[in-house]
Amino acid sequence: MKIRLIWLILPLIITPELYGQSIQTEVSSDSLATGDVFQLHIAARYNPATYEVVFPDSTQFGGEIEYLSSRRFRGVHSRDSLVYTLQFFALQDTVLTSKTVTFISEDGNLAVSTPEIPLYFKSLLNPEEQNLRPLKPLFDFARSWWLLILFFVLIMLIAFIVYMYRDKLRRKRSLNIDPTPVKPEPFRDPFQHLVNRITHLQTMVAANQQGYMHFYTELSEAFREYVEVVHDIPALESTTKEVIRDLKMRGLDDHITGNMQQILRDSDLVKFAKFNPEAEFVQKNYALAELLLKAIKKHDTDRIDAMRYRYEQMLGFERTAASTQDMKTSKMGEEGT
């Protein structure tokens, strides 16, 4: 009998505070529609000389039950309570989960959990429309749009900095480019080029027979190239007969075509018929070439001037007064001769 009495008294001696603390919970309504606001009342009974009470904060609410506000009331000496204002967002019956109330003392903390409270969903639809449910999700009231705006502004700022940097590099490269324009080549006078080639052959007139082959090759190619450039005749790929025929069709007089034919035929004899000319024969051909140069200059001066004008117009040259005066002086000298 004594042993039983000790077991009954011992818990009261060891933890007398455990049986002196209690909590009560109550809701203002247990039947709620979506969006309804209701109150949760949690009352704590304890010994204030020994304990301090800490009620649940807003972090213990969330999901379908949203925390709005709270207000604390102090009653009698050993009673304290907190009223929470909450909003119901469920679409069906739900449960208000257990919350933790903590009693703090010097000997340690005591955590007491509230009981779960069922909350019943009250539909706003007519009884015959109970099967209908909204398909659109609930609007999220707590989105931080300013973060998206800040991110967009940051991206635009980075893009602007990159654009300015690349534009600066482009301007710097453009300044490093040499502004000096490339000067185009001046017009090459085909007649003067022909004169230079024929004059160069004068040193070969007194050469031996082995040098005559080169003499006649250069002599023939010089006149053929001139005809091809000035009169637009493929003389380098044509026979002597074809060249003379085309020159006559261009309106050249018999004096020019006759001398040209004589020079080209003699050159063909040496190059293709293995003809070995004497020095007197070579001198005669060179003298004939000089006469042909004078006749060509008189006949083709206007044609070459026209070629020079087209070339300068194509490259954007401006004919200077000095060059024009030189051309007039040259023509007057030819007429006087």
Side-chain angles (χ1 to χ4, degrees):
M1 183 65 180
K2 291 181 179 181
I3 295 174
R4 291 181 180 179
L5 183 59
I6 291 173
W7 280 107
L8 292 174
I9 297 175
L10 185 60
L12 298 177
I13 297 175
I14 296 175
T15 58
E17 296 84 2
L18 180 62
Y19 298 96
Q21 325 309 324
S22 64
I23 56 174
Q24 294 178 348
T25 58
E26 182 181 0
V27 293
S28 60
S29 176
D30 61 352
S31 180
L32 301 167
T34 302
D36 285 351
V37 177
F38 67 101
Q39 283 76 38
L40 169 65
H41 181 206
I42 300 179
R45 186 179 298 276
Y46 62 100
N47 184 1
T50 306
Y51 289 97
E52 292 183 5
V53 63
V54 178
F55 288 97
D57 57 11
S58 60
T59 60
Q60 297 193 34
F61 298 91
E64 297 176 338
I65 307 298
E66 184 174 341
Y67 171 88
L68 297 180
S69 63
S70 62
R71 186 177 180 184
R72 190 164 183 170
F73 297 91
R74 293 187 180 274
V76 295
H77 179 68
S78 61
R79 183 179 175 86
D80 201 355
S81 64
L82 195 67
V83 177
Y84 299 89
T85 301
L86 308 174
Q87 192 167 13
F88 182 79
F89 282 105
L91 298 177
Q92 58 187 357
D93 297 341
T94 187
V95 174
L96 182 61
T97 58
S98 176
K99 312 299 178 187
T100 301
V101 180
T102 304
F103 296 94
I104 302 174
S105 68
E106 295 180 355
D107 297 332
N109 298 337
L110 177 64
V112 180
S113 299
T114 64
E116 294 184 345
I117 301 175
L119 299 175
Y120 300 101
F121 175 73
K122 180 175 65 175
S123 176
L124 299 178
L125 301 175
N126 295 327
E128 60 272 11
E129 298 176 346
Q130 289 296 320
N131 293 328
L132 297 178
R133 290 291 184 271
L135 299 178
K136 186 177 180 180
L138 296 177
F139 181 79
D140 189 0
F141 294 96
R143 292 189 181 274
S144 301
W145 294 104
W146 66 271
L147 291 176
L148 296 177
I149 296 175
L150 180 62
F151 177 77
F152 178 77
V153 172
L154 182 61
I155 292 297
M156 294 297 294
L157 180 61
I158 294 174
F160 177 76
I161 293 174
V162 172
Y163 171 79
M164 294 300 295
Y165 177 75
R166 296 185 64 179
D167 184 68
K168 183 178 180 180
L169 288 180
R170 182 181 60 81
R171 293 175 181 271
K172 186 176 180 180
R173 290 173 183 172
S174 63
L175 292 177
N176 293 333
I177 297 176
D178 187 7
T180 304
V182 179
K183 186 177 181 180
E185 295 184 2
F187 176 75
R188 191 182 77 163
D189 191 331
F191 177 77
Q192 187 60 46
H193 182 62
L194 175 62
V195 171
N196 294 338
R197 294 185 68 175
I198 299 302
T199 303
H200 179 70
L201 293 177
Q202 188 176 8
T203 58
M204 301 181 184
V205 174
N208 54 24
Q209 292 183 353
Q210 294 180 353
Y212 293 153
M213 173 66 72
H214 182 64
F215 171 83
Y216 280 102
T217 301
E218 288 293 322
L219 181 65
S220 175
E221 288 185 358
F223 280 107
R224 287 176 180 272
E225 181 180 343
Y226 174 82
V227 170
E228 187 164 311
V229 172
V230 177
H231 296 281
D232 196 21
I233 296 174
L236 292 172
E237 294 83 16
S238 302
T239 63
T240 299
K241 184 177 180 180
E242 293 172 342
V243 172
I244 300 304
R245 180 198 63 194
D246 293 339
L247 287 175
K248 290 181 178 181
M249 293 177 63
R250 296 292 193 278
L252 274 73
D253 56 41
D254 295 339
H255 179 66
I256 294 177
T257 56
N259 291 341
M260 181 77 70
Q261 184 176 15
Q262 184 65 42
I263 291 174
L264 296 181
R265 282 184 176 179
D266 290 346
S267 299
D268 292 341
L269 287 175
V270 176
K271 291 191 299 179
F272 304 115
K274 296 182 180 181
F275 173 68
N276 296 322
E278 299 292 337
E280 183 180 355
F281 184 83
V282 176
Q283 292 176 356
K284 180 181 177 181
N285 284 134
Y286 185 80
L288 188 62
E290 289 181 331
L291 292 175
L292 183 57
L293 287 177
K294 294 179 180 180
I296 289 175
K297 181 178 181 181
K298 185 177 181 180
H299 184 275
D300 291 342
T301 298
D302 293 339
R303 180 184 293 271
I304 294 175
D305 287 343
M307 292 174 59
R308 179 185 290 106
Y309 178 77
R310 288 194 299 269
Y311 180 81
E312 292 176 352
Q313 288 295 316
M314 180 180 65
L315 297 182
F317 287 138
E318 293 184 1
R319 180 169 294 181
T320 62
S323 62
T324 305
Q325 184 64 30
D326 291 342
M327 292 175 57
K328 291 181 179 180
T329 303
S330 177
K331 288 185 178 180
M332 291 175 63
E334 293 174 2
E335 292 176 357
T337 303

